[in-house]
């Protein structure tokens, strides 16, 4: 207001507010104490076995060179080449044991298919047990090229690292030369590792916003954290007719024209600030209702409470213009409370009460 | 990488940037306790991903981690698509008493005005104006182009001035 008539004054206030909001010394020490404790509790980070691709390539080249030069020596033709007679037949067998190691360790393989909307240069997988980071492993293509959509990352863990109730978190790492790396973490997925088998997941969503892991197999031992919340979701007509109709008729994968035929053509369209997806918003309410926000993804709970709105529906579209996710905000006519019903792009759904201030 | 060295480095970074990152998170989410939690997680994430830091701009790297963790948190708490209170969780009519009490009138108005802005504007104003990052650094942290930073900053400041002129939050509290 008056204080900000001059831009200089506004700039001064930006600087001063930065210095005012701060932690107390006690709080600083408390937070750091907790950081130190948790750093000490973390096991030493395992060596990444696939990230150093240059070394990997060099190792492969050296191994090939050795195989090419050593094998002829160990074989009969090698002996002929060196002019050595078959004086010690046991050498041959013991040497071949060096080439094909019999040291067998037990491994479990985790594959993560890139089902996001971009190619991913590098993925890191964090393994947590009892809330603590148990192991971290990176994976990328040996030639440094990104793993394309539909292709997969592979991680190999020892049985000791991956056993029992385990939570996995995928971190997309995007190398930016000289500037560090941008990190995008997936939501955590929890599974119970009971068998010696290959575990296959998809990484879904869009980096920089909502990225999550999902099991490819309908394995009952794997639970998405989100799905635990999905209970009692049915909306009855008596609660809210529009919301009940949306729940009954709107499904993921619908085309735009199908949604228009269900809900009409009176919608506001925009681009999501969260992840750049296109969205449509329907405001079902009084004719003179005016949406109050610049940001079209904010629910108008006030209008729902005062009866200006009966329901508000938000729909997100994927690049192929199929319905990717949606939610409906409504007032329950029975208890007067505001609820939201949502269906996310991973097909999980839920209904929650919204606390209206 | 030596664990001891890594811990020492995290300690040094914490001493240098704890307030800087704390109040950045606080401006994003408006919740003191939560901002402390995310601050803690930021340094733990930096510790566990220490090897992935390649550049010389550690402040920008820590801010990027802090921002991503904040968004992760909001995503986890609000997987509902409709944001029912504008991101962040700030309720403009209910300022957090402890943190806001120490602000003078102009600063309180600025804080409230910021909370009314759309996320993109708030993001860029906090980084450019309050945290004083360069355009290039802001673009890196947000994952935007420099042009997008400039455009959103221009529009954001305009929107902020409009909010400050409206003073709507004042009347709502009465």
């Amino acid at each position: 207001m008056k204080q900000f008539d001059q831009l200089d004054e506004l700039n001064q206030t930006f600087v001063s507010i930065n210095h005012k909001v701060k932690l107390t010394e006690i709080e600083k020490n408390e937070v750091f104490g907790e950081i130190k404790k948790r750093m000490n509790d973390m096991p030493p980070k395992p060596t990444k076995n696939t990230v150093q691709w240059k070394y990997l390539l060099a190792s492969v080249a050296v191994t090939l060179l050795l195989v090419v030069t050593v094998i002829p020596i160990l074989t009969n033709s090698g002996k002929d080449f060196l002019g050595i007679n078959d004086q010690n037949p046991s050498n041959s067998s013991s040497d071949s044991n060096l080439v094909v190691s019999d040291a067998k360790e037990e491994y479990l393989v985790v594959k993560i298919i890139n089902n996001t909307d971009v190619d991913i240069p590098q993925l890191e997988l964090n393994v947590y047990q009892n809330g603590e980071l148990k192991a971290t492993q990176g994976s990328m293509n040996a030639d440094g090229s990104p793993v394309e959509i539909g292709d997969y990352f592979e991680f190999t863990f020892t049985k000791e690292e991956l056993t029992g109730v385990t939570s996995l978190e995928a971190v997309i790492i995007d190398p930016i030369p000289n500037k560090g790396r941008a990190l995008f973490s997936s939501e955590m997925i929890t599974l119970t590792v009971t068998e010696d088998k290959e575990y296959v997941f998809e990484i879904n969503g869009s980096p920089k916003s909502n990225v999550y892991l999902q099991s490819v197999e309908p394995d009952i031992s794997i639970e998405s954290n989100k799905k635990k919340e999905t209970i009692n979701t049915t909306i009855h007509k008596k609660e809210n007719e529009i919301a009940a109709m949306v729940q009954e008729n709107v499904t993921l994968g619908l085309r735009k024209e199908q949604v228009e035929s269900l809900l009409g053509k009176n919608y506001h369209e925009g681009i999501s600030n969260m992840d750049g997806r296109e969205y449509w918003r329907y405001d079902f309410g009084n004719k003179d209702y005016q949406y109050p926000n610049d940001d079209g993804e904010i629910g108008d709970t006030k209008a729902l409470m005062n009866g200006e709105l009966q329901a508000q529906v938000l729909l997100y579209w994927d690049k192929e213009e199929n319905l990717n996710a949606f939610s409906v905000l409504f007032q329950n006519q029975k208890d007067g409370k505001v609820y939201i019903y949502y269906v996310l792009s991973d097909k999980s759904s839920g209904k929650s009460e919204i606390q209206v201030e | 990488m030596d664990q001891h060295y890594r811990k020492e480095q995290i300690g040094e970074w914490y001493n240098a940037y704890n307030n800087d990152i704390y109040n950045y998170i606080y401006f994003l989410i408006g919740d003191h306790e939560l901002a402390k939690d995310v601050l803690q997680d930021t340094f733990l994430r930096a510790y566990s991903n220490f090897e992935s830091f390649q550049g010389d701009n550690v402040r920008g790297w820590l801010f990027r981690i802090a921002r991503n963790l904040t968004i992760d948190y909001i995503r986890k708490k609000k997987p509902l698509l409709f944001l029912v209170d504008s991101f962040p969780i700030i309720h403009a009519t209910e300022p957090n008493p402890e943190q806001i009490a120490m602000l003078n009138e102009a600063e309180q108005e600025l804080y409230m005005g910021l909370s009314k802005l759309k996320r993109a504007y708030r993001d860029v104003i906090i980084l450019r104006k309050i945290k004083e990052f360069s355009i290039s650094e802001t673009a890196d942290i947000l994952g935007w182009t420099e042009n997008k930073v400039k455009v959103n900053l221009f529009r954001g400041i305009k929107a902020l001035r409009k909010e400050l002129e409206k003073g709507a939050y004042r009347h709502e509290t009465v």
Side-chain angles (χ1 to χ4, degrees), chain B:
Chain B
M1 181 70 68
D2 180 75
Q3 302 288 319
H4 185 65
Y5 167 75
R6 195 190 284 204
K7 285 175 189 168
E8 273 185 357
Q9 190 67 76
I10 293 292
E12 282 176 27
W13 289 345
Y14 182 83
N15 283 333
Y17 301 117
N18 66 73
N19 251 334
D20 205 11
I21 292 171
Y22 159 76
N23 71 18
Y24 170 60
I25 301 163
Y26 182 79
F27 289 135
L28 287 176
I29 54 181
D31 183 311
H32 172 61
E33 288 303 320
L34 185 56
K36 282 200 304 185
D37 288 347
V38 179
L39 171 71
Q40 182 180 306
D41 287 347
T42 298
F43 283 91
L44 287 169
R45 179 64 63 87
Y47 175 72
S48 61
N49 291 284
F50 194 86
E51 285 160 353
S52 71
F53 174 62
Q54 293 178 327
D56 52 2
N57 186 356
V58 68
R59 184 172 176 249
W61 184 62
L62 292 170
F63 268 72
R64 196 157 54 238
I65 294 173
R67 182 173 184 272
N68 287 330
L69 286 172
T70 306
I71 290 172
D72 283 352
Y73 174 82
I74 291 163
R75 283 284 185 196
K76 280 172 191 162
K77 288 287 173 191
K78 297 179 178 298
L80 308 173
L81 308 178
F82 250 128
L83 297 171
V84 286
D85 47 5
S86 59
F87 166 79
I89 308 165
I90 292 170
H91 293 275
T93 54
E94 289 184 10
N96 187 316
E98 287 173 26
Q99 298 300 313
I100 300 305
M102 62 182 77
L103 303 180
N104 64 33
E105 190 187 352
E107 290 160 349
Q108 286 196 23
E109 288 187 356
L110 174 61
Y111 176 83
M112 295 303 184
L114 274 174
S115 74
K116 291 275 185 180
L117 296 183
K118 62 189 261 189
R119 287 183 300 280
Y121 294 166
R122 184 164 44 233
D123 263 344
V124 74
I125 289 174
I126 292 171
L127 289 170
R128 281 285 289 131
K129 293 294 189 177
I130 299 181
K131 308 315 293 184
E132 297 182 301
F133 278 104
S134 69
I135 288 174
S136 157
E137 288 171 325
T138 304
D140 272 351
I141 292 168
L142 296 175
W144 294 359
T145 63
E146 291 189 11
N147 194 46
K148 187 173 174 184
V149 171
K150 289 176 195 169
V151 168
N152 275 279
L153 182 63
F154 176 77
R155 291 178 183 165
I157 292 289
K158 201 173 161 187
L160 177 61
R161 290 175 72 83
K162 205 172 154 187
E163 281 299 333
L164 294 170
E165 281 160 15
K166 269 199 291 186
Y169 40 87
R170 270 187 168 180
H171 305 301
E172 283 170 13
T173 58
V174 176

Side-chain angles (χ1 to χ4, degrees), chain A residues 278-289:
Chain A
E278 183 188 353
Y279 71 82
W280 286 4
R281 192 193 69 244
Y282 286 89
D283 301 322
F284 294 100
N286 298 345
K287 279 183 183 173
D288 53 354
Y289 169 74

Side-chain angles (χ1 to χ4, degrees), chain A residues 29 72 90 158 163 179 256 260 332:
Chain A
N29 292 334
S90 66
T158 62
T163 182
K179 294 285 182 186
K256 285 182 170 176
E260 278 181 343
N332 186 325

Side-chain angles (χ1 to χ4, degrees), chain A residues 21-56:
Chain A
V21 177
K22 57 187 178 185
L23 294 171
T24 64
E25 285 304 314
I26 293 171
E27 286 172 325
K28 273 185 205 174
N29 292 334
E30 278 174 358
V31 172
F32 190 54
E34 190 60 30
I35 291 170
K36 279 200 287 192
K37 183 175 169 291
R38 287 179 59 185
M39 283 195 299
N40 289 334
D41 290 346
M42 283 183 189
K45 198 167 180 173
T47 308
K48 295 177 187 179
N49 62 357
T50 52
V51 172
Q52 304 291 340
W53 60 273
K54 285 181 184 172
Y55 298 105
L56 187 70

Side-chain angles (χ1 to χ4, degrees), chain A residues 233-237 239-250 263 284 304 310-313 326-332 339-341 351:
Chain A
T233 56
T234 306
I235 305 166
H236 299 288
K237 279 185 181 175
E239 294 174 332
N240 188 296
E241 208 162 327
I242 295 165
M245 183 273 286
V246 169
Q247 186 185 49
E248 194 177 337
N249 296 294
V250 177
L263 304 179
F284 294 100
L304 286 161
Q310 280 76 59
Q312 208 163 32
V313 181
F326 66 95
S327 63
V328 53
L329 199 60
F330 64 97
Q331 188 185 36
N332 186 325
Y339 290 84
I340 191 161
Y341 169 75
K351 190 174 90 173

